[in-house]
Amino acid sequence: MAAFSNIRALLSRNITRHARPAHLKGFARGLATAKAPSSLFASLDTFSDRHIGPDDNEVAHMLAKLGYDSMDAFVADTVPEKIRVSSASVSNESIPALSESELFQRAKELGRANKPFKSFIGMGYHNAVVPPVILRNVMESPAWYTPYTPYQPEIAQGRLESLVNFQTMVMSLTSMDIANASLLDEATAAAEGMVMAFTGSNGKKRTFFVDGGVAPQTVAVLRTRAKGFGIKLVVGDALADLDDEALRADLCGVLVQYPDVNGAVKDFSGLADSVHSAGALLVCATDLLALTMLKPPGEWGADIVLGNSARFGVPAGYGGPHAAFFACTDKLKRKMPGRLIGRSRDVNGKPAYRLALQTREQHIRREKATSNICTSQALLANMAAMYAVYHGPVNLQRIAQKVHGFTQIIKNAVENYGYKAVNTQYFDTLTFEVNGVVKDAEAIHSAALAAGINLRRIDDHHVGLTLDESVGAEDVVALINVFASAASLPPVSLNELSAISAPAIPESLRRTSPFLPHPVFNTHHSETEMLRYIYHLQSKDLGLVHAMIPLGSCTMKLNSTSSMIPLTWPEFASVHPFAPKDQVKGYEQIIKELESDLCKITGFHACSLQPNSGAAGEYAGLSVIKAYHESRGEGHRDVCLIPVSAHGTNPASAVMAGLKVVPVKTHADGNLDLEDLKAKAEKHKDKLAAFMITYPSTFGVFEDGVQDACKIIHDNGGQVYLDGANLNAQIGLTNPATCGGDVCHMNLHKTFAIPHGGGGPGVGPICVAEHLAPFLPTHPIVPTGGDKPINAVAAAPYGSASILLISWAYIKMLGGAGLSDASKIALLNANYMAHRLSGHYSLRYKNGKGRVAHELLIDLAEFDKAAGLKVMDFAKRLQDYGFHPPTCSWPISTCMLIEPTESETLEEIDRFCDAMIQIRKEAEDIITGKQPKDNNVLKNAPHPISVIAAEEWNRPYSRQTAAYPMPWLLEKKFWPTVSRIDDAYGDTHLICDCPSVEESASSL
């Protein structure tokens, strides 16, 4: 107990809360909202005062500290006058505000407008059954949906472990060597696989063959992606059409679906041999539940295996968000896109997880990239992983066997009516030929609709149906009787049906290998144990439930409960993305309103909600620009100018869209070099396609010359893509159209409050000027976009449609005035923070009036020179103060980019600033020699309980200093669960799955 004596002494002190400034005491929020209602009839549950952190008194305090007596005066010094827009452009007149209760009622009303039909459409989407313990404690839990991507692993061990569970689940079920931590959807995952095959041939082979059994939405996305890379896409019968020698000589890869979209289960082992003999890769799209019964692709020769994991406990949600999985052979692992979680250890040798091989992430390669993936679907991947943990291998196979058994019963019964099943070998999907029994397929669909059922529309002669875990005995009877009714034949009853013993899977394709033997998948099967496991993992992760997450360019604002609630209502969660239009009137209205509001906010003419990440929005916007040039006979325009300060996804997206990147310089003050831009625009004027610019800049400043830059581009025949990553600084003050843009994307998971989910989901819709509207993306099943559209950029017509509800609700509850106020407070909070940190840290960039935008960039280079302290040393020490560090080493390697958002109160902002100032004092002790340079409180940070409580303590500072450097930490402290991670060890010992039974036993 000697180790705790000093801590006990510290705990005996009087605990002081971090107090508000003295002159603000007594001004509480009260039980309703901060401002008095305008009348007795006004709502008391207005959202703006709940969402925006500082109240009027705190705002006045911060303005006074900055030398202003009004918000208008402050904004005038922060946002250039020439790009300001009228206050009426985004106001309560243009976007009326709803109270929280009014929003709830409006959402209920629109939910009722969606007809509750049961869909058996399939095509990669299922009616997943979400275990209540996962629904309530993961999907609906802010402890799981508010954290950021686990770039700081010491405070993210919980979801890192869960993502390793996801990777392990995928590797085990597919029998592949390695899997990533999820991609955006199945179709874009297939596109990533295609490009891997193309680059695997060093771009020398350009033909990619797609089997006719692949889902049509996947084919559409492949066509879009193939165009940018100059890949020749050929669709046909992979088992019959690959004998052509000319085709084989140019073949880089083949994509098959297993089982295919029509339900057929085919043996592709011979195809694998043929593809490999041609020097190409075999890519397989598959289904995880089916693989509990089918021979896994890794056992018959697939090189890449991918698909949608959503049937493992993730709602259909009108198309998403869903976590795609992606696995490959060991030799391809360093080319695999997306995030990869690996096992490593901390500096004390304790096992720990981390993001592995980060330097292989494609967007880091900028213009040399072949993928722009820089995110994942972490929340949905964690749900799918938890589903597998909860059910385990035995119950997963039982679910699969029940689904398959019901499918067999339906096939036999329907064939007894004279219909013919096209596929005799299947798992859960059947395609029936209806000719000879009824006039055409419409007769079947009419009978189905009369029964409240949706079947898959194929053509006039065929219908399809897919079963899933949600199907019960009564559904089986209803489906059979649809076919009976259409043919005017007698219906069946349940007691007439019986199970079929032998599976409809050929013996050679039945799974014989075990799966998911790891302890984690064979332990937590009672709800008690599952609940404890979920809470054990979440206790390791810092989210917005604990503290501010001041990540620059990430906008970690409040994800309000009121905007999240409708998300899991069945009237929204249970809708198939290809349901008939007349059944989704509620969704249609929400989508229409959201598109309209986003156009008002950006100043643009039209919107597409299909892109399901920010990088996907970049790619879609540039593809639209390319299509516009082609429509004018200027398809040769292929040069894209991009500032060197841009995020790496910008050049990566440009390459994917078929553009050639030319970098543009920036000045020492952070501003764009307009002379260099002009010179390069004029040099490439005959081939100039686009210019990409982020505004405010990635350096955290509103540049005066943005309109001049856009004019230079337009004068030379190009279009302007304005990256909307920093839109939170603009709303109601300026907009991308006024700045001079032609297209922009928005990050709904930043500006419009969709949670980051620990690394996804996200939504990256694009808004465009009128001349670009005809080229917005369409979809092969549910047409969207303009009259000259590009092909689909996502699997579902409206991308991650269900979470659009969150941004719709956010905008509706804030209203135009609240949205504008939010941007103003975001600017004020950042500038107040810059003021408080001045004199302690070097502010890298500011405008002529000394103002930053919504974020600030502090440079720590001086500490490296004086004491060998790196950015990461400051970051890890902040963890000891209970904070998530700001964005580190970007956009400049020696800097931190800090963004407080509008949701943080003055008290929390001051608490963060106090922590940073105290760390500055600790750094000064190292600079002056009071602490050694190689063994100090920053270099050794963070300090988990295991270190603080260790019997031995041989560090040149006290345990109190390490663990409780500020008094308020005694009352509330988030503890890192491991010491600093050894990154190098993790990359040289790459292990990306769960511990085995033997490893778990040896650690006991």
Side-chain angles (χ1 to χ4, degrees), residues 237-256:
D237 185 343
L239 294 178
D241 297 343
L242 287 178
D243 293 333
D244 182 273
E245 287 303 319
L247 184 151
R248 290 177 63 82
D250 192 48
L251 187 68
C252 65
V254 175
L255 173 65
V256 296

Side-chain angles (χ1 to χ4, degrees), residues 338-383:
R339 291 177 180 148
L340 181 66
I341 314 301
R343 283 192 265 164
S344 185
R345 65 187 185 190
D346 70 10
V347 293
N348 297 313
K350 182 178 179 181
Y353 296 104
R354 61 181 279 275
L355 284 168
L357 299 180
Q358 291 186 56
T359 54
R360 55 156 256 299
E361 290 190 23
Q362 286 279 343
H363 69 277
I364 294 173
R365 300 176 62 205
R366 299 179 71 85
E367 65 271 10
K368 296 180 181 178
T370 55
S371 169
N372 66 355
I373 293 290
C374 74
T375 189
S376 60
Q377 298 281 29
L379 181 65
L380 301 317
N382 283 328
M383 289 180 66

